[in-house]
Amino acid sequence: MQDKRGLLIVVSGPSGAGKGTILAHTIESYPTLKYSVSVTTRNPRKGEIEGVNYYFKTLEEFETMLNQNEFLEYQKVYDNYYGTPFSKVNEQLNQGFDVVLEIDVKGALEVKNKYPDAVMIFISPAKRETIEERLRGRSTESEEQLKIRTNSAIEEIKQAVFYDYIVVNEDVHQGAMDIIAIIEAEKCKVKNNKKFIDNLIYGGK
Ligand code: 5GP
């Protein structure tokens, strides 16, 4: 029996690594894992839903939230701002749910600084070529944006060394199973079961 507060899980990876798809599969198979919906100033892509993929805000609205200290972390990524709303994450962790943040590398390192127990997972494509192929397949970006995203994807991969785990996206199902295996292993860590052990020794609930 894991201690009551849930695990804070941070997932990053370059654009085109397939993070979104893997996480969607993971959450489907592991319902106690909650996805933290970020706030962004970027425009919705086709098919994206307010409150499901992001909370889409104007720059002014974002700045107001920032001034009111509503973010656990935030970053400017490409030309837009992205932030993790603090209160929802904290509430879900306190309720014992595990919460996953899908955020960029800089934001991830900020989270790790504030919460050293955060479990850091880097999702990587199986091959270098896959990055551009995937970004092209999504075809929501202009040629110039595509180039910028491909280059920064390569730069981001250099940051994988700061993570605890790497999950290679060769197969979406396997990727999701790997993330679940990581979560399950983390739950079995002695440091996450201190209260349980104390209860065994000293009694109580
Ligand atoms: P996209 O525009 O493709 O949805 O996301 C661009 C990048 O921003 C991705 O690397 C994504 O993980 C990151 N991102 C999304 N939400 C947040 C957030 O709340 N904080 C930070 N730091 N990065 C985020």
Side-chain angles (χ1 to χ4, degrees):
M1 198 7 132
Q2 184 214 8
D3 291 348
K4 179 97 181 71
R5 204 170 143 87
L7 296 173
L8 180 59
I9 296 147
V10 178
V11 169
S12 312
S15 319
K19 292 170 289 196
T21 322
I22 288 195
L23 278 182
H25 272 70
T26 309
I27 289 164
E28 219 174 87
S29 328
Y30 202 81
T32 56
L33 181 63
K34 302 289 176 195
Y35 182 82
S36 160
V37 180
S38 291
V39 175
T40 184
T41 60
R42 88 151 158 73
N43 293 324
R45 294 196 186 110
K46 202 162 171 262
E48 284 184 331
I49 300 166
E50 165 73 18
V52 174
N53 304 93
Y54 283 105
Y55 297 104
F56 296 99
K57 303 279 183 198
T58 62
L59 184 58
E60 291 70 34
E61 288 169 331
F62 193 94
E63 280 169 348
T64 305
M65 291 182 76
L66 191 58
N67 292 332
Q68 292 172 347
N69 278 327
E70 290 184 38
F71 293 120
L72 192 157
E73 63 74 42
Y74 80 97
Q75 288 292 326
K76 190 174 185 191
V77 186
Y78 309 113
D79 281 332
N80 294 296
Y81 286 91
Y82 295 81
T84 304
F86 173 75
S87 62
K88 182 83 184 191
V89 171
N90 198 40
E91 184 188 305
Q92 288 179 326
L93 289 173
N94 283 337
Q95 287 168 349
F97 291 111
D98 306 312
V99 179
V100 61
L101 315 182
E102 186 204 328
I103 62 178
D104 85 316
V105 168
K106 279 195 195 145
L109 297 181
E110 201 182 318
V111 174
K112 187 73 181 173
N113 259 333
K114 282 191 194 162
Y115 300 93
D117 285 342
V119 181
M120 308 278 285
I121 305 177
F122 194 87
I123 299 189
S124 133
K127 285 185 301 207
R128 197 183 153 105
E129 301 78 61
T130 318
I131 299 169
E132 197 181 325
E133 273 166 30
R134 285 237 177 87
L135 285 173
R136 221 172 258 289
R138 193 158 73 185
S139 75
T140 49
E141 264 88 27
S142 68
E143 219 23 61
E144 194 192 341
Q145 272 179 326
L146 194 75
K147 218 176 189 172
I148 295 172
R149 287 202 171 218
T150 307
N151 285 338
S152 71
I154 308 284
E155 281 307 304
E156 275 192 31
I157 291 175
K158 293 183 186 166
Q159 309 297 315
V161 292
F162 297 114
Y163 286 69
D164 301 310
Y165 298 94
I166 185 159
V167 167
V168 179
N169 182 12
E170 252 169 324
D171 170 83
V172 171
H173 178 73
Q174 185 57 50
M177 290 304 110
D178 287 351
I179 292 181
I180 292 170
I182 291 166
I183 296 172
E184 290 289 307
E186 287 288 328
K187 282 179 189 288
C188 293
K189 277 193 169 164
V190 168
K191 71 166 188 173
N192 290 329
N193 290 278
K194 286 273 160 63
K195 278 189 203 146
F196 168 74
I197 295 168
D198 278 353
N199 286 342
L200 284 181
I201 299 170
Y202 303 109
K205 284 196 274 178

